[in-house]
Amino acid sequence: MAKIEIYTSPFCGYCYRAKSLLEDKDVTFIEIDVIQQPSKRLEMIDRADGEHTVPQIFIDDKPVGGCDDLFALDAKGKLDALLNPEAPA
Ligand SMILES: N[C@@H](CCC(=O)N[C@@H](CS)C(=O)NCC(=O)O)C(=O)O
């Protein structure tokens, strides 16, 4: 399984939606709350090429974007292979 990281903040509907999609996919992810850990917000912006909204999602250290981007990848049928690169196609 890929390393999946998601930067979030509390009371963020987009974060809940993105997390629930990942939960539906049955993958383990690392959640980084940028309110609880304020220094992580700058780290997120840096890693996400300047994007500052939450969530920001990274799969194997590659920026995937936010919630809409995650759902768009799933709609295109590309998300499962990113989440489980070793699985047979
Ligand atoms: N299109 C983005 C929208 C994300 C978004 O608007 N997140 C809100 C929190 S729920 C946010 O970060 N707002 C702060 C800002 O716009 O600077 C996505 O799908 O992730």
Side-chain angles (χ1 to χ4, degrees):
M1 190 191 296
K3 179 176 76 167
I4 304 156
E5 299 161 279
I6 177 166
Y7 291 81
T8 63
S9 69
F11 313 113
C12 159
Y14 289 102
C15 302
Y16 284 117
R17 285 191 64 220
K19 284 194 291 179
S20 76
L21 178 58
L22 293 173
E23 282 158 8
D24 288 348
K25 299 286 185 188
D26 225 6
V27 292
T28 303
F29 56 85
I30 300 161
E31 181 172 1
I32 302 147
D33 182 325
V34 301
I35 301 296
Q36 282 182 2
Q37 302 179 75
S39 65
K40 296 289 184 181
R41 184 184 288 276
L42 282 180
E43 175 189 277
M44 175 192 85
I45 293 168
D46 187 45
R47 292 182 72 196
D49 295 327
E51 295 295 331
H52 62 273
T53 56
V54 283
Q56 292 296 323
I57 299 139
F58 296 82
I59 301 178
D60 280 337
D61 290 312
K62 291 185 204 72
V64 164
C67 177
D68 294 341
D69 302 300
L70 193 68
F71 273 83
L73 276 175
D74 195 33
K76 283 190 226 157
K78 293 186 175 173
L79 182 58
D80 291 345
L82 285 176
L83 295 175
N84 292 294
E86 297 95 13

